Every structure is written in C-alpha cells, then in structure tokens.
Amino acid sequence: MTDDQRSAGAPTLEDVARAAGVSRATVSRVVNGVRNVDPAIQEAVRQAVSVTGYTPNRAARSLVTRRADAIALVVSGAGIGPEAARGDSGTGASGEEGGGSGGSGSFTAQVFADPFFGRVVTGVVDYLRPRGMHPVLMFAETSRAREEVVAYLRQGSADGALVVSTHAEDPLPALIADAGLAAVLFARPARPVPVSYVDLAHQDGARLAAEHLLGRGCRRIATISGPLDVPAGEARLTGFRDTMARHGHPYIPIAEGQFTQESGESAMERLLAEHPDLDGVFAANDLMALGACHVLREHGRSIPGDVAVVGFDDSSAALACRPPLTTVRQPVEGMAAEMTRLLLDRLARPDGPVTSVIFEPELVVRGSA
C-alpha cells in the first residue's frame, strides 16, 4: 500500500477489488466466507487484502453473515455439588490436567498455572487467527456461570463453544446440547451427549509407558494415577495395568494423584514408604512426574539409575524436569486446532453429523527412563 493510499484513509473493498482484479461483490463474498468461490480467486483476494491492509468492518459483516466471528473457549466443571448450584465456591474436583478446589479465584489460578491449558489456547488461537476470528475465554466453574455461558451463546455473542471440562460430572456439555448450540469438546465426555469431541487414545499411551519401563528391565513398578473420576485418569490407569498384566505383573502399586505437581510429590512419598524397593514409576501426567522426581532425589534415589520415571503429555514440565522426562506425547496443540476445525465445520454445516477424532500417542524418550 502506498503513502498516498494511506493518507486517503482506511483501505476499502474497492481497493481490494482493484488490487485483485475482481469485482467488489466477489471480494465481499470471499471476505464473508461464502464457500462457492473459486479457490484461485479466493487466494487472489486474500493476497490483495494482505497487500492493501484491508480490515473488514465486523459490525457490517455480522449483519450480512449473522455471525459474531468469535468463538467461546470455555473451561468448565470445577464446582458441581450443591455449593456450586448456589454460586458459591464449589467442592472442587480435579481436572484433566489441573487439580485443586475452591472458587473462581483458585479455579482461574489453577487454569493459568497449568501448561495444558496454555497449549489448548495456543492451538485454538493459531487456528482462528488466519481466519479473522478470535476466542473469548470463559470460565464456568459454578451453576450460575454455566447458565451465563449458555445465555451468551444463545444471544449470538459467540458463534459456538469449545469446551474443556475439568470434571467428569460437568453438566455444561449436556446443557449446550439441549439448547441446540454449536460446540465441540476436548476429551470424551464421561456421559454420552450428542456433541463432537477430540481425544487421545489414552490406554494406548499408557501401554507405551508400561512397555518402555519393562523393556528397560524394571520389575518393581508403581504408578501415580490421575483422578479416577476423570475419564483420562481412569483410561491411563486401565491401559497401564492391562499391559503390565499381559506381561506377567498382575499387581501394580497405585497412588492416586490430582494431575498437579504437589499431588505427585505426595503420591511418591506414599509409594516409597510402602514400596521402598520400587525401580520404575509411571505418572499419568508430567506435572505429577515432576513432583515424583523431586521426591525421589530428596530420598537419595538416582534417576534413572535407581528408579526410572515416565510421564504423560510431553508438556513444558517434561523439559523442566531433571533429568528431562521420558513421556508419552499428547499433541495438545494439534488436538485443539482440530477441535476448532470441527466447530467451524459445524457452523458451516449445522445439520452435519456429530463426530469424534481420536489422536495417537507417541513415546518421547529422554533421560528419566
């Protein structure tokens, strides 16, 4: 864009049309997301938009498309009991990647402190940004907050919702489905609801961890599970125990954690007290594995010489661990991007079928095992 163009004011649809060599109506169709435009023309218009610096008038665009061009990214589920129904702090149950209890303050602090949620946000933002859309972060940790989310979506303030539930009994997915609103979930819901979701093959990931520890020669293996009222926690424990049983290890000491570093430390203390000769540990996420490694070092155990440790997720905690953590990779950013793609596809085809996409885990070998 030239200096003369800048001085003349903000670029218009006519400027884009002139740069692309197409009509103003064609530019409008591309900008407003009309699907039946030739791909080559779409690309020419996008390049012209980039060159001219044109920014669509969102208010005018929403009148045409009846879309907000915003997606609600909802973290839900901390308070489920009677206290939550009254809008109080709630009982607080552990989440897919974050534990803890309490009200809105502790819940939001928990979310922002957990690397899992940051990775979800990264995947969503990276997918939406090139499409001129934005996520609106919302927290639904009480009954009142869940009602506000549903009302926000009903009013058209956001076109749909990406929901990350942190409790198996979270009622929000069913509330959204009953309201006929567009949504996609991160992780399979504990109770069936007609909502699309993305998830990981958690049992297969735990199998990789078990086989790796056995392959290293570990024979006195224990596990720090996630919270067993969360589908991911239960699935990872089931996969691990099943694989160990198939290799002749019918009994595996278990200490339940809450997907937090502190709970990993407490669980490791319990396991060492009851099974001081253990030589391998599988922790159901990296934060708990990080806590376990800290306790093992405090007790004078070398890693992996005395005790081999495998985590799950391949989050930033895996690299912060000393030694760096062998872990099962969960491609959270890619899963979040796919969740977003499914939602946009749902918005484009409201009558399309509910679906699921399951990602495959991968073992990442580092220094801890």
Side-chain angles (χ1 to χ4, degrees):
M1 189 175 179
T2 67
D3 290 339
D4 290 341
Q5 286 175 306
R6 289 191 184 94
S7 64
T12 65
L13 279 178
E14 286 77 8
D15 296 325
V16 177
R18 193 177 304 112
V22 298
S23 69
R24 182 185 187 281
T26 297
V27 173
S28 177
R29 290 172 55 156
V30 173
V31 169
N32 289 319
V34 177
R35 297 170 67 90
N36 60 342
V37 179
D38 183 90
I41 294 176
Q42 291 185 43
E43 181 59 28
V45 172
R46 291 192 188 100
Q47 290 183 9
V49 167
S50 177
V51 169
T52 60
Y54 172 74
T55 302
N57 184 315
R58 293 197 175 277
R61 177 175 174 178
S62 65
L63 289 174
V64 175
T65 64
R66 299 186 182 275
R67 294 279 178 83
D69 279 347
I71 297 298
L73 176 55
V74 186
V75 183
S76 174
I80 304 299
E83 297 85 350
R86 295 195 301 268
D88 298 329
S89 62
T91 56
S94 306
E96 152 82 33
E97 291 288 339
S101 61
S104 177
S106 63
F107 181 60
T108 54
Q110 161 198 320
V111 169
F112 286 120
D114 195 311
F116 168 79
F117 294 106
R119 295 176 67 190
V120 171
V121 172
T122 296
V124 170
V125 170
D126 286 352
Y127 192 88
L128 287 177
R129 181 180 291 158
R131 292 159 177 81
M133 303 182 74
H134 306 279
V136 177
L137 184 60
M138 305 183 74
F139 297 96
E141 74 279 22
T142 65
S143 176
R144 183 179 306 156
R146 286 186 283 275
E147 292 172 0
E148 291 173 354
V149 168
V150 173
Y152 188 83
L153 294 169
R154 282 185 183 275
Q155 293 163 4
S157 299
D159 298 319
L162 302 168
V163 181
V164 182
S165 288
T166 64
H167 195 290
E169 300 301 320
D170 182 13
L172 183 61
L175 291 174
I176 290 175
D178 290 344
L181 300 167
V184 178
L185 311 180
F186 193 108
R188 172 177 56 87
R191 295 182 178 180
V193 291
V195 179
S196 297
Y197 66 84
V198 300
D199 205 351
L200 186 78
H202 296 283
Q203 292 194 29
D204 290 345
R207 173 182 56 78
L208 294 174
E211 291 176 345
H212 183 71
L213 287 170
L214 290 169
R216 281 186 53 88
C218 298
R219 291 297 178 266
R220 298 177 299 281
I221 301 172
T223 184
I224 301 173
S225 77
L228 298 182
D229 62 347
V230 174
E234 190 276 332
R236 293 175 193 181
L237 177 60
T238 297
F240 189 76
R241 294 178 67 182
D242 181 68
T243 302
M244 294 297 294
R246 289 170 182 266
H247 287 81
H249 296 266
Y251 171 70
I252 303 298
I254 300 166
E256 184 177 352
Q258 301 298 315
F259 281 140
T260 64
Q261 181 175 340
E262 294 76 14
S263 69
E265 293 173 356
S266 298
M268 193 69 253
E269 291 281 7
R270 296 196 301 273
L271 288 171
L272 279 177
E274 297 170 7
H275 307 277
D277 62 341
L278 61 81
D279 62 0
V281 175
F282 167 54
N285 84 337
D286 292 341
L287 285 175
M288 294 193 300
L290 182 63
C293 288
H294 178 71
V295 169
L296 287 169
R297 287 194 300 271
E298 284 189 337
H299 284 263
R301 309 296 175 90
S302 67
I303 306 169
D306 295 327
V307 182
V309 180
V310 176
F312 203 112
D313 287 335
D314 196 23
S315 67
S316 57
L319 296 178
C321 191
R322 292 294 176 267
L325 192 65
T326 292
T327 184
V328 177
R329 175 165 175 73
Q330 177 175 205
V332 174
E333 295 85 353
M335 294 168 69
E338 179 64 12
M339 174 174 66
T340 311
R341 187 195 69 77
L342 289 176
L343 180 59
L344 296 187
D345 188 60
R346 185 73 173 175
L347 294 172
R349 297 187 302 152
D351 297 329
V354 170
T355 188
S356 59
V357 178
I358 307 299
F359 284 71
E360 296 300 323
E362 176 186 357
L363 184 71
V364 180
V365 179
R366 299 192 180 99
S368 70

